[in-house]
Amino acid sequence: MHARIRIAAAAAAALGALTLTACDTGSTVVDEPKENATAPADSGEGATKKTSDAPEVAKVGDTLTLEGFEEGSKLDVTVVKVADPAKSADEFMEPASGKRFVGVQFQLVNTGEAAYSDSPSNGAQIADSEGQQFDATIGDITAGPSMASSLKLKPGAKGLGWIVFEVPEAAKVDTVQFTMDSGFADKTGEWKLR
């Protein structure tokens, strides 16, 4: 009897240690945009230097490189456009009373060596200026086609689509975040929306 209790206690301690290890993943939020490959290089006379040492923060139109759990799993993620407020494309699907839809168009480019397969809306959140965060909702908007609910991209392929959020009417949306692996990867991208 005592041996069983000791074995159960040891198993519980091992499981607890594993859980703590799994939770301490070193998650980070990245918001410094990827260098624009098409921008001309600063060189020679007439080149201008940045006047501020403050790092640039990603905004609409910028690309962030994110990684997933699987080795070789990597995406270049761009917030292409924002529709605020967004109009529902379905007369039967309207925001709840006192709320509005906000749409964010994302472009995902698989820059890794592994295939990407996920539901992108699961890893997207929008936040207002008060710090309240809102998950994506199901809905189509008139701004354009929704992001596929189950997106599969081979290396080099890209996906484009709108992800919709339902926020309070008075909320001032401030940032949008995207995380691979349905929101569970260690690296989260963040873009300023205003």
Side-chain angles (χ1 to χ4, degrees):
M1 175 92 155
H2 291 295
R4 278 192 209 163
I5 293 172
R6 276 183 270 187
I7 291 171
L15 181 60
L18 237 130
T19 302
L20 286 175
T21 302
C23 291
D24 184 24
T25 58
S27 295
T28 58
V29 175
V30 296
D31 64 358
E32 191 170 340
K34 183 177 177 174
E35 286 295 319
N36 186 347
T38 60
D42 282 358
S43 61
E45 290 183 13
T48 57
K49 289 189 175 187
K50 279 187 176 178
T51 56
S52 170
D53 289 333
E56 188 177 346
V57 176
K59 56 192 177 311
V60 176
D62 288 334
T63 301
L64 298 175
T65 299
L66 303 177
E67 298 166 359
F69 284 129
E70 185 181 337
E71 188 173 328
S73 178
K74 187 162 48 167
L75 292 177
D76 274 359
V77 181
T78 306
V79 169
V80 180
K81 295 178 190 172
V82 177
D84 182 12
K87 185 172 174 7
S88 177
D90 178 353
E91 64 182 286
F92 301 107
M93 189 70 119
E94 293 292 331
S97 178
K99 298 198 174 183
R100 73 182 192 276
F101 285 147
V102 175
V104 178
Q105 188 183 42
F106 285 92
Q107 177 177 277
L108 311 180
V109 180
N110 187 347
T111 56
E113 298 171 358
Y116 170 79
S117 178
D118 199 2
S119 179
S121 63
N122 289 345
Q125 287 188 325
I126 202 166
D128 67 13
S129 58
E130 301 297 317
Q132 296 178 48
Q133 295 190 333
F134 306 94
D135 292 324
T137 189
I138 296 171
D140 292 320
I141 57 175
T142 58
S146 294
M147 180 68 77
S149 61
S150 179
L151 187 63
K152 295 170 179 46
L153 301 174
K154 66 183 181 180
K158 67 181 172 182
L160 178 70
W162 290 86
I163 295 178
V164 180
F165 304 88
E166 187 176 42
V167 303
E169 192 64 52
K172 293 183 175 108
V173 293
D174 186 54
T175 59
V176 66
Q177 293 184 335
F178 183 85
T179 310
M180 292 179 67
D181 299 323
S182 285
F184 290 102
D186 292 337
K187 200 181 253 189
T188 296
E190 182 174 277
W191 293 261
K192 287 291 271 183
L193 299 179
R194 55 184 194 104

